[in-house]
């Protein structure tokens, strides 16, 4: 065997093999890049080259128009693996000082008596994101917003680390533990609702989602309704709005009651 | 001449042992998400199981079968002791170590990413390293197949390479090249993120790399089956291969057109241009050609056997076939499943029709029918055929073997037909839970129940298979004689250079990969801002 006998046009297998393959490639390319693009009357191409580029998927710069001003601001928080890494004792200490002004609603130990969220032991990323959103206006609340507007980036990070550092304590509204409702562990596949527990603990936790065990039932219910109505819109890509809109009122009640009844020390997460 | 029987047996036993485990997981998955199972309320367990099932069935099991069978072919078709036995054992142990390394994080729930990896989902780095070791182990086999063939060529200049070995080496080259896509994805993209060196990943590019592997790997799974069709079945039923050249042409066609078509797995993805999708779709249509050639040639070869046994008439010869021969039975079952599966495949490969079944249970139904059915039933047949030669003992209970094959066939039909059906109705795949109490899917409960019952039939058949092989290790000794492959009606004295070597077809395979994948990969790799943050399994 020698490559010279094989790869030569005097070898009919070579000529035919390469010829047929190339012919098929050329025909399919012409159809795919020229004929089919122009066969779509609803798309306009300036010329053949334009059609080819479109069919090849050449990345296009978006036309240089400024995006219409959003009526409401969206969340712009970016979290990287370094954002809150390695909490220092000083940062936690600074956070503790700052947190004194939060205590009136969120409780001196981070446990609220006022249907505000409990913050003790909440994930740092969650507090970080919410404070940024309150500051930017992506999330608004008559009480909370004024507190957040004047915080610096540093202060937000310190507060987040401080609250994450506090131990998770039982809430003030002890209720008997309820069994897991379907919406929490199964979601509702037919309505495109993933189980609450797949992001908020119970099953798994996803970055940016708070754990909910022991939170106020009233508060959680209010938030779900706000997501459903669109009053609250700082969830990235409408993750929570899409879910809340599809939930039935009973499911909202069940999920809120279930999470409120759980002791926070069972929070399952790898942290 | 089978000298290194221990090596071959080791491959087969490991293959079938992991197959048995993965099969059990499959039956459990089927059951637990059906209306007859009570939901275990933790989807994570389902995805652990699914990752293990897919990884074993997709990577470990077929690779080991191809390797073991490849070594057997090399020794018996070339009548030459295997060159590089030590390397072969190295490859085997790499696969053992890789599999263990991959399965531990999966079992711990640290790598529930499914066998398609699904970036930006990122699991424990050892899972991916384990998969890499499995692939590296198999690459050693590829190299050995090539080396053994060239040693033989030196000793037999110009002689026609035996068909079984020609096909076997074609399959190994196909695997070597198609594995490169996933290897690039793992080494350049996923492993750096899993190891914590990077925190973002270009999921679109990763999917394109994976599609490079995902289609042709299917033909790599198929190779042992096709080799068995051509070179074992006709001999086993007392016939001859209708055409040696037709067989060679089928195998080289697989080499050329199996590769540049993988983007039919990305029809629904936005990052590839429609023109490339069309080219891949058109080339996918071409891949039907070698299969049609094969069906024709094998039917003709089977007819030869029937007529030699005195069969007559236009179709009357079918009755003259040796239906009590397990090989005949396996072939018939395999063809029926290949026919139905192939018809379903026509839907998957068309750009538009695919949209209606994309990511539904139809897809899982489809590949279980083709892969688990048409292909794996021939793996069983190969094992039955080789076993007496490997163990030096006879497989006595043909009846049990026939029962096992029947059960697999019936089980596969009962499992996959309703599986396709619920897919058409829109039931999504890769879901851990379905609420059959919901009126919207309540009517599908019955179909899914049938599938689950089919799953248990398959499990029974799989256990039976292992029992038969295990009993075969202890049966009374009997000399099975040398292992032989089928002869052609016209056994070739010379074969044209192009059909006796692989270089031309490998060159075309690589060239088509460049034309069909080059531009999409390069643009994706060079476009800025296409990466997204990784999502680590189980991490907060
Ligand atoms: C040799 C036989 C088989 C092979 C090669 C095979 C292969 C595979 C592969 C590659 C997957 C994809 C995994 C994924 O989507 O990530 C899969 C999924 C699955 N297999 Fe198998 N399998 C086989 C037998 C079985 C059997 C016998 C059953 C049932 C008894 C079964 C049940 C399942 C189920 C339920 C899924 C998951 C489908 C989904 O949720 O999307 N498999 N199989
Ligand atoms: Cu494919």
């Amino acid at each position: 065997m020698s490559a010279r006998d094989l790869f030569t046009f005097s070898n009919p297998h070579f000529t035919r093999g390469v010829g047929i393959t190339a012919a098929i490639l050329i025909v399919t390319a012409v159809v795919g890049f020229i004929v089919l693009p122009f066969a779509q009357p609803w798309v306009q191409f300036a010329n053949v080259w334009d059609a080819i580029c479109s069919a090849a998927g050449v990345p296009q710069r978006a036309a240089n128009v400024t995006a219409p001003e959003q009526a409401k601001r969206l969340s712009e928080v970016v979290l990287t693996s370094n954002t809150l890494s390695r909490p220092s004792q000083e940062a936690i200490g600074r956070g503790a000082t700052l947190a004194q002004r939060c205590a009136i609603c969120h409780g001196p130990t981070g446990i609220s008596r006022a249907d505000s969220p409990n913050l003790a032991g909440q994930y740092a990323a969650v507090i970080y994101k919410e404070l940024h959103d309150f500051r930017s206006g992506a999330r608004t609340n008559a009480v909370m917003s004024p507190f957040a507007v004047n915080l610096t980036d540093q202060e937000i990070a310190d507060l987040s680390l401080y609250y994450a550092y506090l131990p998770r304590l039982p809430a003030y509204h002890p209720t008997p533990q309820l069994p897991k409702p379907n919406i929490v562990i199964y979601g509702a596949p037919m309505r495109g609702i993933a189980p609450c527990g797949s992001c908020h603990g119970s099953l798994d936790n996803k970055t940016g989602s708070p754990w909910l065990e022991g939170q106020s039932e009233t508060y959680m219910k209010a938030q779900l309704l706000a997501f459903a109505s669109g009053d609250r819109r700082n969830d990235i890509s409408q993750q929570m709005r899409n879910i809340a809109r599809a939930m039935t009122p009973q499911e909202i009640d069940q999920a809120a009651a279930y999470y409120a009844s759980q002791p926070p020390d069972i929070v399952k997460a790898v942290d | 001449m089978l000298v290194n029987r221990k090596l071959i047996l080791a491959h087969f036993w490991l293959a079938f042992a992991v197959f048995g485990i993965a099969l059990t997981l499959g039956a459990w998955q089927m059951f637990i998400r059906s209306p007859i199972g009570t939901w275990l309320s933790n989807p994570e367990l389902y995805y652990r199981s699914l990752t293990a099932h897919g990884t074993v069935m997709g990577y470990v099991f077929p690779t080991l079968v191809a390797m073991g069978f490849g070594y057997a072919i090399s020794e018996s078709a070339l009548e030459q002791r295997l060159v590089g036995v030590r390397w072969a054992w190295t490859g085997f142990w790499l696969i053992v170590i890789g599999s263990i390394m991959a399965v531990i994080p999966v079992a711990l729930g640290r790598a529930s990413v499914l066998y398609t990896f699904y970036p930006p989902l990122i699991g424990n780095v050892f899972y991916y390293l384990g998969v890499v070791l499995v692939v590296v182990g198999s690459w050693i086999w590829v190299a050995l197949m090539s080396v053994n063939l060239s040693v033989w060529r030196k000793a037999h200049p110009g002689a026609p390479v035996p068909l079984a070995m020609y096909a076997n080496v074609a399959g190994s080259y196909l695997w070597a090249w198609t594995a490169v896509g996933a290897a690039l994805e793992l080494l350049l993209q996923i492993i750096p993120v899993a190891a914590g060196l990077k925190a973002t990943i270009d999921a679109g590019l990763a999917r394109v790399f994976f599609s490079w592997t995902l289609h042709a790997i299917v033909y790599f799974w198929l190779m042992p089956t096709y080799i068995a069709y051509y070179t074992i079945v006709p001999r086993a039923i007392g016939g001859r291969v209708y055409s040696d050249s037709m067989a060679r042409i089928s195998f080289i066609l697989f080499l050329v057109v199996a590769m540049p078509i993988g983007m039919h797995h990305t029809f629904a993805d936005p990052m590839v241009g429609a023109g490339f999708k069309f080219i891949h779709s058109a080339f996918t249509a071409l891949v039907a050609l070698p299969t049609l050639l094969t069906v024709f040639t094998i039917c003709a070869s089977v007819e030869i056997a029937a007529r030699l046994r005195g069969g007559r008439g236009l179709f009357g010869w079918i009755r003259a076939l040796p239906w009590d021969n397990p090989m005949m039975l396996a072939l018939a079952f395999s063809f029926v499943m290949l026919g139905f599966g192939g018809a379903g495949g026509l839907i998957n490969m068309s750009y538009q029709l695919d949209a209606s079944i994309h990511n539904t249970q139809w897809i899982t139904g489809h590949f279980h029918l083709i892969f688990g059915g048409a292909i794996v039933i021939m793996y069983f047949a190969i094992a039955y055929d080789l076993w007496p030669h490997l163990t030096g003992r006879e497989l006595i209970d043909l009846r049990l073997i026939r029962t096992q094959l029947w059960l697999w066939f019936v089980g596969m039909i009962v499992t996959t037909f309703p599986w396709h059906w619920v897919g058409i109705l829109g039931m999504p795949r890769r879901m851990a839970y379905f609420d059959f109490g919901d009126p919207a899917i309540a009517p599908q409960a019955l179909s899914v129940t049938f599938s689950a019952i089919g799953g248990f039939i398959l499990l029974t058949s799989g256990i039976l298979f292992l029992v038969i092989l295990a009993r075969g290790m202890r049966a009374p000794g009997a000399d099975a004689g040398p292992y032989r492959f089928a002869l052609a009606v016209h056994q070739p004295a010379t074969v044209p250079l192009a059909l006796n070597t692989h270089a031309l077809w490998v060159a075309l395979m690589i060239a088509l990969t460049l034309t069909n994948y080059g531009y999409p990969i390069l643009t994706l790799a060079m476009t800025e801002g296409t990466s997204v943050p990784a999502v680590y399994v189980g991490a907060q």
Side-chain angles (χ1 to χ4, degrees):
Chain A
M1 198 258 306
S2 100
R4 229 176 307 130
D5 299 335
L6 188 60
F7 292 92
T8 161
F9 286 104
S10 56
N11 173 359
H13 287 96
F14 175 78
T15 320
R16 263 184 264 152
V18 175
I20 294 174
T21 312
I24 294 174
L25 183 65
I26 291 168
V27 170
T28 53
V30 168
V31 174
F33 287 101
I34 300 172
V35 178
L36 287 180
F38 280 108
Q40 309 169 69
W42 58 92
V43 196
Q44 293 294 317
F45 295 108
N47 49 42
V48 174
W49 183 242
D50 193 21
I52 293 177
C53 289
S54 156
V58 178
Q60 310 241 335
R61 290 248 152 267
N64 216 355
V65 288
T66 36
E69 199 55 40
Q70 284 286 345
K72 298 230 174 89
R73 296 193 68 105
L74 299 175
S75 181
E76 286 155 6
V77 179
V78 177
L79 263 178
T80 70
S81 32
N82 306 331
T83 311
L84 298 164
S85 61
R86 300 213 194 87
S88 67
Q89 286 305 316
E90 296 87 83
I92 293 173
R94 285 194 303 269
T97 314
L98 289 164
Q100 301 204 335
R101 49 179 128 150
C102 319
I104 184 166
C105 292
H106 293 287
T109 55
I111 302 298
S112 172
R113 286 169 180 266
D115 286 337
S116 305
N118 303 331
L119 301 178
Q122 185 54 274
Y123 300 124
V126 171
I127 299 178
Y128 181 85
K129 174 174 181 299
E130 296 307 319
L131 284 176
H132 270 281
D133 285 348
F134 277 123
R135 188 177 73 178
S136 71
R139 182 177 177 188
T140 52
N141 175 284
V143 182
M144 199 50 219
S145 297
F147 277 94
V149 268
N150 296 320
L151 293 174
T152 64
D153 286 355
Q154 173 79 58
E155 287 169 337
I156 289 181
D158 293 345
L159 278 164
S160 312
L161 293 172
Y162 167 67
Y163 275 118
Y165 158 86
L166 288 185
R168 288 169 188 160
L169 299 172
Y172 283 110
H173 39 76
T175 32
Q177 263 180 268
L178 298 173
K180 288 179 180 159
N182 283 357
I183 190 76
V184 171
I185 44 168
Y186 306 152
M190 295 310 295
R191 279 173 283 143
I193 306 182
C196 312
S198 63
C199 289
H200 292 288
S202 308
L203 300 171
D204 197 2
N205 185 274
K206 302 282 154 54
T207 306
S209 0
W211 55 264
L212 303 173
E213 282 80 355
Q215 295 293 3
S216 145
E217 183 174 347
T218 322
Y219 172 73
M220 282 187 288
K221 205 171 145 181
Q223 294 310 308
L224 283 170
L225 293 172
F227 277 127
S229 68
D231 285 345
R232 182 174 167 187
R233 45 205 301 145
N234 68 323
D235 52 330
I236 293 161
S237 310
Q238 307 212 23
Q239 293 177 89
M240 265 320 293
R241 273 172 286 173
N242 283 332
I243 288 173
R245 270 196 293 266
M247 285 170 81
T248 63
Q250 292 92 313
E251 284 168 342
I252 290 183
D253 288 345
Q254 286 170 346
Y258 165 74
Y259 275 113
S261 77
Q262 298 301 305
D265 52 332
I266 61 157
V267 171
K268 179 200 155 195
V270 204
D271 53 356
Chain B
M1 162 166 130
L2 284 168
V3 183
N4 287 288
R5 299 177 190 185
K6 231 192 210 154
L7 175 75
I8 299 164
L9 267 177
H11 281 79
F12 278 123
W13 264 124
L14 181 61
F16 296 134
V18 294
F19 163 78
I21 299 171
L23 184 65
T24 313
L25 291 178
W28 175 80
Q29 285 157 210
M30 211 72 196
F31 169 73
I32 205 70
R33 63 170 179 60
S34 81
I36 47 178
T38 21
W39 169 234
L40 37 48
S41 83
N42 187 351
E44 213 282 322
L45 289 178
Y46 182 82
Y47 292 116
R48 261 183 231 193
S49 168
L50 191 52
T51 307
H53 176 83
T55 307
V56 167
M57 293 298 205
Y59 301 141
V60 183
F61 165 57
T63 306
L64 282 167
V65 169
M67 289 169 71
F69 191 36
Y71 292 133
I73 292 174
S74 178
E75 290 207 323
S76 48
L78 299 183
E79 299 188 20
Q80 163 186 302
R81 262 171 178 277
L82 189 72
V83 179
V85 176
R86 221 174 281 155
W87 279 106
W89 278 112
T90 311
F92 176 79
W93 284 110
L94 278 179
I95 293 188
V96 174
I97 297 170
S99 306
I100 295 174
M101 199 175 195
V103 89
I104 292 175
V106 173
L108 294 176
R110 290 320 196 111
S112 308
V113 295
L114 310 189
Y115 87 118
T116 45
F117 305 148
Y118 259 162
L121 205 56
I122 298 290
N124 184 287
V125 67
F126 286 102
Y127 169 70
Y128 307 109
L129 291 176
V131 173
V132 169
L133 284 190
V134 170
V135 172
V136 171
S138 72
W139 277 345
I140 293 181
W141 166 76
V142 173
L144 286 180
M145 289 301 97
S146 182
V147 167
N148 276 277
L149 180 56
S150 62
V151 168
W152 184 88
R153 272 192 218 281
K154 288 232 177 69
H156 304 78
V161 176
L163 175 61
M165 188 62 179
Y166 186 73
N168 177 35
V169 173
S172 76
Y173 289 159
L174 180 65
W175 171 239
W177 182 243
T178 193
V180 168
L184 290 173
E185 180 192 6
L186 285 171
L187 297 176
L188 301 180
Q189 297 195 274
I190 293 182
I191 291 179
V193 180
L197 305 173
K198 274 178 71 191
T200 61
I201 186 163
D202 186 340
L205 178 60
R207 286 180 66 86
V208 172
F209 274 138
F210 195 76
S211 80
W212 163 331
T213 294
L214 188 54
H215 194 80
I217 196 177
V218 177
Y219 288 98
F220 167 62
W221 298 337
L222 197 84
M223 278 295 170
T225 294
Y226 272 48
I227 296 175
Y229 286 165
Y230 280 108
T231 68
I232 298 182
V233 173
R235 186 259 293 137
I237 64 170
R240 288 200 160 217
V241 183
Y242 173 70
S243 161
D244 179 84
S245 327
M246 200 90 107
R248 285 170 200 263
I249 290 172
S250 304
F251 286 108
I252 54 119
L253 278 178
F254 275 128
L255 209 49
V256 178
V257 291
M259 228 343 276
I261 65 181
M263 278 186 199
H264 59 220
H265 293 276
T266 63
F267 281 156
D269 289 20
M271 71 280 169
V272 184
F276 282 103
K277 289 176 181 168
F278 175 77
I279 295 187
H280 281 247
S281 178
F283 271 88
T284 307
L286 282 181
V287 112
L289 202 64
T291 292
L292 292 177
L293 278 181
T294 301
V295 171
F296 175 81
T297 313
I298 299 306
C299 286
S301 312
V302 167
E303 184 180 344
I304 292 172
R307 298 213 183 271
L308 285 175
R309 295 166 58 94
R312 20 202 109 258
L314 194 55
F315 292 108
W317 55 269
I318 295 178
R319 245 176 304 130
L321 285 169
W323 287 106
D324 52 352
N325 183 330
M327 192 57 78
M328 186 65 232
L329 212 54
L331 175 76
F333 291 154
S334 179
F335 266 30
V336 171
M337 294 189 277
L338 189 69
F340 282 113
L346 294 180
I347 293 177
N348 307 350
M349 57 146 269
S350 9
Y351 196 167
Q352 286 84 354
L353 287 178
D354 175 68
S356 61
I357 43 93
H358 177 69
N359 255 347
T360 67
Q361 297 286 359
W362 166 281
I363 299 296
T364 29
H366 165 77
F367 69 69
H368 280 84
L369 184 56
I370 286 261
F371 181 17
I375 295 179
V376 169
I377 205 165
M378 292 307 290
Y379 289 2
F380 298 155
I382 291 170
Y384 290 143
D385 198 55
L386 266 173
W387 224 246
H389 299 268
L390 294 174
T391 59
R393 292 157 199 277
E394 206 180 349
L395 288 181
I396 313 159
D397 200 345
L398 290 191
R399 196 144 161 213
L400 201 59
I401 293 181
R402 284 196 298 268
T403 312
Q404 189 268 327
L405 294 171
W406 267 106
L407 280 178
W408 192 260
F409 174 67
V410 171
M412 200 45 90
I413 300 288
V414 174
T415 306
T416 57
F417 278 34
W419 210 346
H420 279 82
W421 171 243
V422 295
I424 301 180
L425 296 179
M427 186 171 171
R429 73 182 281 208
R430 291 184 160 175
M431 287 275 189
Y433 167 73
F434 295 92
D435 177 7
F436 292 101
D438 190 305
I441 58 166
Q444 295 172 35
L446 189 65
S447 306
V448 178
T449 306
F450 273 118
S451 276
I453 294 170
F456 287 115
I457 303 179
L458 288 171
L459 182 60
T460 315
S461 170
I463 293 171
L464 211 53
F465 171 66
L466 294 176
V467 167
I468 294 170
L469 293 190
R471 279 177 40 178
M473 307 292 293
R474 283 182 286 110
D479 183 16
Y483 192 69
R484 301 223 176 278
F485 294 96
L487 298 176
V489 174
H490 302 285
Q491 196 57 19
T494 60
V495 172
L497 186 54
L499 293 182
N500 208 27
T501 57
H502 300 87
L504 174 55
W505 316 111
V506 170
L508 280 177
M509 167 176 84
I510 295 178
L512 279 178
T513 310
L514 296 181
T515 57
N516 290 11
Y517 269 105
Y519 179 80
I521 288 180
L522 277 183
T523 35
L524 282 170
M526 282 159 42
T527 310
E528 296 278 319
T530 48
S531 292
V532 292
V535 178
Y536 293 92
V537 171
Q540 152 58 25

